[in-house]
Amino acid sequence: MSKQFKQSFLRGTLILILAGLVTRFLGFVNRIVVARIMGEEGVGLYMMAVPTFILAITLTQLGLPVAISKLVAEAETQGDHHKIKKILVVSLAVTGVTSIIFTTGMIVLAPILSNTLLTDSRTYYPLIAISPVVPIIALSSVLRGYFQGLQNMRPAAYSQVIEQVVRIALVAVITKALLPYGVEFAAAGAMISAVLGELASLLFMLTMFKMRKQIKVRRNFFKQMKAGKSTLDDLLRIALPTTGSRLIGSLSYFVEPIVVSQSLAIAGVATALATMQYGQLTGYAIPLLLLPSFVTTSLSVSLVPAISEAAAKGQSLVIEHRLQQALRLSLVTGGLSIVILYVFATPLMELMFNTTKPAVYVQLMAPFFLLSYFQGPLQATLQALDLAKAAMINSLIGAVVKIVAIFAFASRPEFGIMGVAIAIVLGILLVTLLHFATIIKTISYTFYVKDYLKSIVTIVASGIFGGYIFTHFIIDASLLTRTLIAIMGTSILYFLLLIILKLVSKEEINRIPYVGPRLAILIPDSKKQ
């Protein structure tokens, strides 16, 4: 591949972050539209079907996207284009077979899942509606892994935006058209719009691949596949531990609504109410808490090929520097998100979803979610260092603790759905700390305690300032105006404190495309960490 399409670690990450920002914004527009059309019960049905879909995708991919990214990065460093072709051929063959198997299984098992395990027969329709997306995402993931391995992040970034634009353009029309037939059909309509969005994303990725490829995949496809045993072994060596880690998360996510519904039933909560409460937690609160994850996801995607390349060259200092960059950026962006979500949870819920009930979950979980933003970069680093098995074990421990805690808390009437929120937090904290401990044992890592203390000061000071603005200034204005002005004031103080306390350096700001050099003028020179 031509070097003109390859981006540096920071530039590639920023491209993904910008695309992730747009995607998350559009995704929230989509959620707001769906929530206002279907209501809390419809969102609950939607969210109960999603874990089954995620599990099917995980089983279909077998962890190949990460393996493809890592092996393509190494092959590109060596200039071995023949090996890149083998990687693509074998990956497409594997995902093609597994997608057929698990799509069929998803359709056949849908009645059992909806009636028995999820205890709500209405989830059958969303499950059937989402099943065609499995092979679409499987093929897209192979292409994304290929481009990411070449450190060309633009195709993946643009495809995310296209997927959301198509989904939003269709979701309101389809859900409104199906709502008169029942809320379960409206939830199925939301799933159909997701399928069509992913299809548009895949078509774009295929177009980009045909335009920029230097290899012809279809030429001698079966010959390459038969001769690709060593390539398959290389892929599975990385993919199986990686998919083990993801499979644990997907299985945990799959089992979660089952355990929640059964536990709430033991606590005496009716099925319809349990579905509604689960929708409030997982459809309203958690997506808001995961908003900054587009930054950490972008960092994770960029880290795998960047650290793999550094490890192949024996550049240990580069590995530590990349991880330091990723964690610091996760802390800076996650910190602002935590401040805004904790202080303005109630007005944000009312403005976006026309309900304030999920605000209590947001305020309970927000302070602890800061560590969850570190989890993606830490896991990506472990995978790039061939420590995917350790990451898998850490994820397994966290998943078991979470599921056990859900049953222990949610089955007690005094906790109910709040017990589910506590259990999710426990699982996140445990996995993040285990990942960090594993990395410290593997590579030399300097922990800048002063920077983290400065970050805490920045978070607390900004939060107090934002709350004071919201409750004491322009109290006669509309809720939207008060909230926007208070969030703006909070953000300005937050960024000023970042600069004053030197939590961002002039060198890093200067690398941001287009606007960086202009912003860097305002920042004093500082020593690069």
Side-chain angles (χ1 to χ4, degrees), residues 66-71 74 233-242 303-304 307-309 311-312 319 378-393 438-439 442-443:
V66 173
I68 294 167
S69 177
K70 177 177 170 57
L71 292 180
E74 293 173 352
D233 291 340
D234 290 338
L235 284 167
L236 294 181
R237 174 177 54 83
I238 303 165
L240 290 181
T242 300
L303 271 175
V304 172
I307 291 183
S308 296
E309 183 179 5
I319 294 173
L378 291 174
Q379 181 156 321
T381 302
L382 289 173
Q383 291 167 347
L385 295 174
D386 285 334
L387 293 171
K389 184 177 180 181
M392 179 185 70
I393 295 172
T438 305
I439 284 178
T442 306
I443 63 172

Side-chain angles (χ1 to χ4, degrees), residues 447-459:
F447 192 79
Y448 295 98
V449 178
K450 188 182 293 185
D451 284 351
Y452 287 91
L453 292 177
K454 288 178 181 178
S455 298
I456 293 173
V457 170
T458 302
I459 290 170

Side-chain angles (χ1 to χ4, degrees), residues 4-70:
Q4 64 179 316
F5 297 125
K6 180 177 177 179
Q7 297 98 38
S8 67
F9 167 72
L10 186 58
R11 182 176 288 269
T13 301
L14 289 169
I15 289 171
L16 289 174
I17 287 174
L18 291 174
L21 177 61
V22 174
T23 303
R24 281 303 164 100
F25 173 76
L26 294 175
F28 257 92
V29 172
N30 176 67
R31 287 184 181 275
I32 291 169
V33 171
V34 169
R36 289 181 178 270
I37 293 175
M38 298 193 304
E40 295 171 353
E41 194 171 358
V43 173
L45 290 172
Y46 179 91
M47 294 307 299
M48 281 190 163
V50 167
T52 304
F53 153 67
I54 297 297
L55 176 60
I57 288 296
T58 303
L59 291 170
T60 299
Q61 292 178 341
L62 289 176
L64 287 174
V66 173
I68 294 167
S69 177
K70 177 177 170 57

Side-chain angles (χ1 to χ4, degrees), residues 137-156:
I137 293 183
L139 180 55
S140 294
S141 66
V142 172
L143 296 177
R144 283 196 179 94
Y146 165 73
F147 283 118
Q148 289 161 6
L150 297 176
Q151 299 187 50
N152 179 12
M153 304 302 170
R154 288 192 180 93

